[in-house]
Amino acid sequence: TSGGFMGQRVYASKDERNASLSLMWFGFCYYVLNGWPWIITGLASLIILGSTNEIAGLENYDATYPAMIVELMPVGMLGIMASAMIAAFMSTISTILNWGSSLMMNDLYQRFLVRDASKRHYVWASRAFSLGLAIFGVWFAFQFDSITQILLRMPLYLIGGVLVFVFRWLWSRTNIWSEIAAMVGSI
């Protein structure tokens, strides 16, 4: 993983040593600690639910994790798990909507389309971008039957832009318009 949040971790550090230690700790937590509950659940599902979906009566592997939750958790904990899943979902959605509308607002609308407007205008435009992104997200989600289809299709949508994103660092003539053209072209 990379991006602005990794830069924030580095910039917030006291010195280079602390920056390196914080990135190593993040890498350990993200790749080791974060993944093991899923791996353990997957291995346990082979024992508890059976090695094939036909034995467990599941139509696809997407249902394995929820089936394990229903199978192993007591009733009171199911409500806590459901609310935790909903909270994680809402956290992700709100972050994506805020981040996306911020990018559209600051990097496209305010920079190229409407340069000298009031702050009130920009706040309302940002709200409109959030609403537009939410509507687009709902429409996009209903184009697929499962989350697996989305995860398999997303690299196809993004592959056209990868080369241009790399060229951004290697060729000075690469700009925002070439990145937008590559993203739209790949779709």
Side-chain angles (χ1 to χ4, degrees), residues 149-165:
Q149 285 183 343
I150 295 173
L151 293 174
L152 292 174
R153 188 81 48 91
M154 284 308 292
L156 298 175
Y157 292 148
L158 301 175
I159 195 68
V162 170
L163 231 75
V164 177
F165 297 152

Side-chain angles (χ1 to χ4, degrees), residues 27-131:
F28 175 77
C29 289
Y30 188 80
Y31 293 108
V32 177
L33 297 180
N34 191 29
W36 274 105
W38 294 94
I39 293 169
I40 292 169
T41 303
L43 293 173
S45 72
L46 292 173
I47 297 167
I48 295 170
L49 299 176
S51 61
T52 63
N53 283 336
E54 292 79 29
I55 294 171
L58 301 174
E59 295 178 12
N60 58 30
Y61 289 107
D62 294 343
T64 304
Y65 194 75
M68 287 293 288
I69 291 172
V70 171
E71 182 75 24
L72 296 177
M73 284 197 150
V75 175
M77 292 297 289
L78 284 175
I80 294 172
M81 176 59 88
S83 58
M85 292 287 196
I86 291 169
F89 174 76
M90 291 306 297
S91 169
T92 302
I93 294 301
S94 68
T95 299
I96 290 171
L97 288 177
N98 287 332
W99 187 41
S101 66
S102 169
L103 288 173
M104 292 175 77
M105 183 70 222
N106 295 324
D107 295 343
L108 182 67
Y109 186 76
Q110 189 174 10
R111 184 173 177 190
F112 295 111
L113 301 175
V114 180
R115 293 181 185 210
D116 296 321
S118 68
K119 289 184 179 185
R120 181 183 173 132
H121 172 82
Y122 290 135
V123 168
W124 279 104
S126 181
R127 290 175 181 164
F129 283 128
S130 291
L131 181 63

